[in-house]
Amino acid sequence: MSARWGCGYAGRVLLVDLTAGRSTIEPLDHGVARRFLGGRGLNMRVLYDEVTPGVHPLSPENRLMFATGPLVGTHFPGACRVNVSARSPLTGILGDSNAGGFFGPELKYAGFDQVIIQGRAPRPVYLFITDEGAHLRPAEHLWGLDVWETQQAIRSELGDEGVQVGVAGPAAENGVLFAGVFFNLARPAARTGMGTVMASKNRKAVAVRGRGMVRVADPAAFASLVGTADAAIFAHPEYDARRRLGTTRLVRALHGLGCLASFHFRTGCFPGVDRVSGERLAATYRVKGKACFGCTIPCSRFFRIESGPFAGLASEGPEFEGLAGFSSRVGNDDLAVALRAIDMCNRYGMDVISASEAISFVMELGEAGLVSSREADGLDLRWGNANTILALLEKICRREGIGDVLAGGVRRAAELIGRGSERYAMHVKGLEVFQADPRGIKGYALGVAVASRGGDHLRSEPWFELTGDSEEATRRFGEAEAAQRLSPRGKGRLVKYYEERCALADCLQVCKNTLVNMEILPYDQAACILAAATGWEFSEEELQASCERLVNLERCYNARLGLGRADDTLPDRFTREPLPPDSGPSAGSVVELDQMLDEYYLARGWDLSTGLPKGETLSRLGLEISVNPGAAAPGGCS
Amino acid sequence: MYDLRIVVEEVRGFCDMPMRPGDYCELRGSRLSIPDGRYFCMWALQSVLPLLPVKQRRIAEENDWIPRTFRVTCPDPDGMVILRIEQLDARDRSPVDQPGARGDSAVERPAPTGRTLVEQPNARQWTPAEGNERGPLPRMLVNSRMCSGCRSCELACSYRHEGVFAPSLSRITVRKDEVGGADEPVVCRQCGVARCVQVCPCGALARNPRTGAVRVDAGLCMRCGDCVAACPFGAIRIHPDTALPLICDLCEGDPACVGRCATGALRYGRAGDLRHAAATGPGVAGEATAGRRRDGGAAECEAGGQVK
Ligand code: SF4
Ligand code: SF4
């Protein structure tokens, strides 16, 4: 069936060369769109083909890519997202991050599925994308402004409040390696240092304004499938909690399970939880619900602090990662302080997960006597010290004193500090791990260990292990214990399944809250809605294979950089130190990683000893690449 | 002492009562009476009350403003109900000759666009507030405090009217102040006496008698944009290709945006009347489902919104 560009896909890719100050518009390749679907898939293909192992992450040759998906801009709930990808300066491997908000749809209305940027501008610029293409505009006057100031300055300079802007904040300019690209008030593509890559190209921001439209091939079928999705969302038992609390409900929930990252993972429960929980936030500072583009849940919130030392602080969010990061993880039980810390990250443009790990990391080093207060610029390193938390964020952003040590992430910080501090650095493949303790959720633990962008949960989110539904687990994963969070059994197949669901979400650019956590849009419906949107025939199997293909391609990318089974690991704390007795129902638990890895590789068709895809697996998925660990393999993947 | 008659002279905006031009009440001494079967809005009444005792009295002072003041506006800025205080002749109860009081002759008044507008005194616009035999018609009600700023309504609108997803073609727009956390859906309010209809120089705008929505006659419209400037709510936009005004047509009584709004920020009904919310008809499948969710969501949102 022939493709009709303009239905679902916009059909255009924008290529920008900042060195030459040139841009071109190319048609999106049909074959590529079919095989890689959109978003993360499109970006990873370019990353594999063009960002070969010789390309340094902060060199002009690194590609910075923004991609949306075929449903973005339609009213499919939560189809609003954008993936920002490049080789990561933080981890040195695959870099990729996903954001909601309003940027993705605007890019679609401007008529682009993907923007690929290379080179380095001779002077600071920002990129303004309209339906006609790219315009490079001077940004000297924006350099040094924070995220919000930059957005406002660009909107007022362009005289249009409808312009959507992605910003590299001051942290990115200063070379903090975990700086993100930030959209709207608090909608960052925060992980793996994509903002740092953007700033390294002398590019302060990317702004977009689209006047066009997104068509769908079969409007009636599309509307009825959206109706099905709506109904499933509204009927979901968690609907009301999600709309009131968003992801912040996890603070209390994980504390209850005994696996909330507390005091830098020294324990799984946080005594001050009720003072900093999502429920507490909802009862105190929450003003109203806020949404990403086209979302019918909606899970975000606007809050305002009316009194006290942080009176006047108002923003959107926060999400669980920021809230737990700046409360339980650093041992702080003052909600307003946590909100201020998150606000600083949002304005400076830093990843809250990496930043909160950096801070809790030094706090633990202080406690263990490995770093003295004097070495930490005189700061009091005791848990939860509000002044220290906020001062460290400031120092990291400016790369000042101890902040300079931390600004490269904890893996580098531990190398610089030495003295055995490595064992306190909570990262996988150089990326700081999230706010749940993997020892209490073993499917997540496996997901974090194997994730293609490093220690991250959003590549798999195997939430099903929290259900305890043995029957369903047997049916779906052939192992009743797949539904038991403390059991290592069945987790290989579980994680494989959810990695592919996450890949689907990241390719269609639909929110993982709906597509993964609420299990909206199973593969058969996804195939139907893609067909209704694009006018192409899609089968359930083909779609699932595309997701599997993407996971394999990402593995090949990292394999080419020399990564393999030995890198699919977790910090020793998670595999060797049982959660202490005060960790409630998770006490005594450690992650039995090796056994889960075996099962996972087996499920994936990857070699058990190297952790790399077997030739037959790749050819089944139509990936004509050979993986040779460590060797820079030439050639493309399409 | 004069007897007074307080008359609704004009409804320039949207009056939710509804008050209709010509509605009145009378004051004799301190006794207030409203004609049988009619009613009078408390807000409108209280806006004239402070003036009534002095208007009852003859004032000799030439420099006082009171003797020259006969009109008062109801405090609801959306309503813009103009009330006229008439002093009655004791013998035949006809209004005494009053400077500035609108008699039976045509009155000239500058339109917001600068063009002079000639209004025929008896040619009132049909107003949706008056409704039909089934009672007052529903209209678009907005509670921006509940709005999450998702812009689903914009998509629902462009999809219903144009068959595509394009906020630039939507009749409803969500105005955002990101830093302030404010989201305000801007939508046609179906004014009683609609400025857009009034200023249109070619009679291209007219009310749909069934729904009360303003209809654009593409054949008559000369694309001057006067209605855009005239609308007090900024609810009209220009179609980027055809240059025709994009005005909410209430989707023939089944607004797609309302059906798609998951928070309850948009309703199609009458203020204070929950029947219409429940009775909102089904739209496209997806929209209908969202609409059904509305009330539960609204209650929750409101509770959330009040927490400070
Ligand atoms: S378009 Fe504006 S002036 Fe006309 S009826 Fe609607 S709100 Fe009133
Ligand atoms: S659909 Fe409802 S909540 Fe969403 S922007 Fe429109 S009015 Fe606001």
Side-chain angles (χ1 to χ4, degrees), chain A residues 75 184 214 219 230 288 290 294, chain B residues 147 150 159 165 178 183 260 286:
Chain A
H75 68 350
N184 302 104
V214 174
D230 274 350
K288 71 168 187 173
K290 288 285 276 186
Chain B
C147 172
C150 70
Y159 198 50
F165 298 104
E178 274 188 20
D183 304 277
R260 188 83 193 135

Side-chain angles (χ1 to χ4, degrees), chain B residues 135-195:
Chain B
L137 287 171
R139 64 163 182 146
M140 291 295 303
L141 300 172
V142 176
N143 184 344
S144 48
R145 225 169 39 102
M146 287 184 186
C147 172
S148 69
C150 70
R151 297 173 61 190
S152 294
C153 46
E154 296 181 9
L155 293 180
C157 182
S158 82
Y159 198 50
R160 173 75 66 88
H161 290 94
E162 317 283 338
V164 297
F165 298 104
S168 61
L169 298 179
S170 169
R171 279 102 176 126
I172 179 170
T173 323
V174 183
R175 217 178 264 154
K176 279 171 170 282
D177 167 6
E178 274 188 20
V179 174
D183 304 277
E184 192 202 349
V186 178
V187 63
C188 170
R189 309 290 180 102
Q190 291 82 44
C191 299
V193 179
R195 307 294 288 169

